[in-house]
Amino acid sequence: MRGFARSTLALALPLVLPAILSVAPARADTAADGGDWRLIRAESFDKALDDRRSPWFLDDDGPSSPYNVDVYDNDGAFFETVGGPAFREQLATFDTYRRSFGFGAHGWLTAELAARDTDRDGRPDAPPTLTARNGVAHLNEPSHQGGVLIRSTRPLPAEYRVEMTLRGLDFGGQRDGSWDYPDGRVNGYSPEGCKTNHPWGSGGDFARPECSWVDVRADSNGFYYLGIMDYARPAPHNNVFIHTHRKVAMDSYNRYNYTGTGLRVCNPATGQYEPYSASTGNGVNAIFMTDDRRYATQPGTEYLMHSECGFAKGGAIVSQVDLRPELLPRETYRFAVERRDGAYTMEMSGVFAHVGQATYRYTRPFVQNGEPIWHYNQKPEEYDGAFNGEWTWTGAGGTLVDENVWPAGSAYPDHFIIGDPHMNFYEGNAQVDDVRLYVPSAR
């Protein structure tokens, strides 16, 4: 039926044990999809967020940092390999500050904020904020060199549905038919100063001045409506790091005046792909990640994309729908991710271009036609090492071999994120409400 998504048939895999997240039962409630779910956590943002005991702190990115993960970290061996000694020189031009605080019932949600201190005076520059007022969370990021996320504090249950309501969005895309806004902003970025992806590139001359790096205004802006990550403490990092740690994600990738072939949009009314220039640049990209490398010269997993226009692996990024931000907050959008019966489902609801009010759901098993969803196993016994491999990188700093990118015996508990996880891209503000977590009702 047009207006409702096709769903792929889930494989019959053994059910995993009850929730990793330890919670007391909450009131019964029905999920937005009308499915057989029981509500265990909900945040309506009716109370102010108490961050007074969580000041900004210096993060050295080293092995002792609580944010240390792997070779793709902000100070990781990948960048030392492709950038050589010049990378360390660039990294030394600023300090990184972070802020983290829990909120919601039993602290089930955590805010993660990051910012740079370029003059190294001990205070972060243009720091992002997360506040709550009038029943809405306000994520404000005045500089693309920061990041702000809402995440699950503990690993998600073995099976779950998480959903959120979007009430406002200003992270780029056209407004009134233009990428250049009347207030001087460009694709949502402020016009002051240079804005680049410094110092985390995938190649090139790392010794060049900061303002000579990729101009993010002329590249892209965006926002993560809902994503599932594979590591224990999701927080803002460089964009290369984030692209190696997503399982599934619904995000926006708003490319300034883009006319190339690397992006396309699905018109759900006709079931036909259209060029990116036919959209308003306010699309939703719902992507399942798989184990193949998407890029030859930089980290990142390949994309599996379902839409009303069919299925695509790799190639041009597909936007499944086009939002209409001008309708916010009078109209709202709801985004949800489910993990159940050996499959992930991504769902989006709201008023979309071409079709009006609609709901789309896209389901994909953990493994289908030999294609796995990246790091789907929450526990070692869910996976036998079939998709393990190694990634090799070379550059001015030599050669790096990232061995065992998905070995047998590994485990990747799920965590969700909402916001901007990139510390060298994206700038703007958004309003979020009604973050909810469900588990399956007793069968």
Side-chain angles (χ1 to χ4, degrees):
M1 179 184 299
R2 187 64 62 194
F4 292 88
R6 310 177 184 110
S7 291
T8 354
L9 183 63
L11 295 177
L13 297 180
L15 292 179
V16 290
L17 295 175
I20 299 171
L21 181 66
S22 176
V23 293
R27 66 182 179 88
D29 200 353
T30 301
D33 72 338
D36 184 20
W37 298 100
R38 178 171 59 91
L39 181 70
I40 60 171
R41 286 287 177 259
E43 176 57 46
S44 60
F45 300 101
D46 291 327
K47 297 180 180 179
L49 301 182
D50 185 5
D51 61 2
R52 290 171 295 178
R53 291 176 291 180
S54 303
W56 288 93
F57 62 92
L58 178 66
D59 179 32
D60 67 3
D61 284 323
S64 63
S65 167
Y67 297 94
N68 185 69
V69 181
D70 60 18
V71 299
Y72 308 107
D73 281 333
N74 288 353
D75 65 343
F78 167 76
F79 296 105
E80 291 189 326
T81 298
V82 298
F87 168 67
R88 281 287 172 184
E89 295 173 5
Q90 296 287 6
L91 198 63
T93 62
F94 62 90
D95 287 334
T96 295
Y97 276 78
R98 294 186 182 273
R99 193 177 197 184
S100 177
F101 58 90
F103 63 96
H106 304 282
W108 79 283
L109 296 173
T110 294
E112 294 284 359
L113 301 94
R116 292 190 203 181
D117 176 11
T118 54
D119 58 9
R120 312 186 92 169
D121 65 352
R123 295 176 296 179
D125 307 326
T129 58
L130 174 63
T131 58
R133 55 184 185 273
N134 301 322
V136 178
H138 295 255
L139 294 81
N140 183 45
E141 188 179 330
S143 169
H144 78 292
Q145 293 179 335
V148 54
L149 290 177
I150 297 170
R151 68 169 174 91
S152 49
T153 300
R154 292 170 286 277
L156 293 169
E159 296 191 310
Y160 61 83
R161 173 184 168 94
V162 59
E163 63 184 35
M164 76 86 156
T165 300
L166 182 72
R167 297 192 177 275
L169 183 67
D170 191 5
F171 272 86
Q174 290 186 24
R175 295 295 184 273
D176 297 321
S178 177
W179 293 95
D180 300 292
Y181 301 176
D183 61 4
R185 288 182 299 146
V186 179
N187 193 20
Y189 289 103
S190 67
E192 292 82 17
C194 68
K195 291 181 178 290
T196 71
N197 69 336
H198 171 271
W200 297 294
S202 58
D205 178 12
F206 274 65
R208 64 195 187 274
E210 177 180 344
C211 289
S212 297
W213 290 59
V214 173
D215 181 354
V216 298
R217 285 195 196 95
D219 190 90
S220 61
N221 206 344
F223 185 80
Y224 279 62
Y225 305 111
L226 201 55
I228 303 298
M229 309 301 286
D230 70 354
Y231 65 108
R233 189 170 183 168
H237 285 76
N238 66 83
N239 68 305
V240 172
F241 173 93
I242 297 299
H243 288 174
T244 69
H245 288 285
R246 302 175 298 182
K247 298 189 181 192
V248 303
M250 288 178 286
D251 69 356
S252 58
Y253 182 48
N254 309 325
R255 296 292 306 273
Y256 179 77
N257 275 332
Y258 185 77
T259 57
T261 59
L263 297 164
R264 56 181 172 172
V265 297
C266 175
N267 183 332
T270 64
Q272 299 296 313
Y273 293 117
E274 297 178 353
Y276 184 74
S277 57
S279 75
T280 66
N282 290 288
V284 177
N285 308 313
I287 300 173
F288 300 92
M289 315 305 162
T290 193
D291 63 321
D292 296 328
R293 277 168 50 176
R294 179 169 175 82
Y295 311 104
T297 60
Q298 71 179 60
T301 50
E302 186 56 279
Y303 302 161
L304 306 175
M305 299 164 286
H306 296 264
S307 72
E308 298 305 289
C309 298
F311 168 74
K313 176 186 176 181
I317 301 174
V318 175
S319 294
Q320 283 77 5
V321 292
D322 219 15
L323 302 185
R324 298 182 58 192
E326 72 276 8
L327 299 180
L328 294 164
R330 177 170 51 87
E331 301 284 351
T332 61
Y333 292 95
R334 181 181 295 111
F335 297 90
V337 174
E338 299 170 6
R339 177 186 171 115
R340 193 171 189 180
D341 295 334
Y344 283 101
T345 297
M346 287 183 282
E347 175 187 295
M348 57 201 83
S349 299
V351 178
F352 303 117
H354 306 296
V355 294
Q357 182 71 43
T359 294
Y360 296 99
R361 290 172 57 84
Y362 301 104
T363 297
R364 189 170 182 90
F366 295 159
V367 182
Q368 180 179 348
N369 299 328
E371 296 281 3
I373 293 176
W374 179 244
H375 287 176
Y376 66 82
N377 53 307
Q378 293 180 328
K379 297 182 179 181
E381 57 267 29
E382 295 179 297
Y383 170 70
D384 62 4
F387 305 105
N388 193 24
E390 63 180 36
W391 295 349
T392 300
W393 314 106
T394 60
T399 298
L400 169 68
V401 180
D402 184 5
E403 300 177 338
N404 295 317
V405 297
W406 195 355
S410 60
Y412 306 94
D414 291 16
H415 286 80
F416 73 78
I417 62 169
I418 300 167
D420 171 26
H422 300 315
M423 288 181 63
N424 56 336
F425 279 91
Y426 301 174
E427 178 179 306
N429 62 81
Q431 291 78 55
V432 171
D433 196 6
D434 295 328
V435 180
R436 296 184 169 209
L437 176 63
Y438 300 82
V439 295
S441 299
R443 297 180 177 177

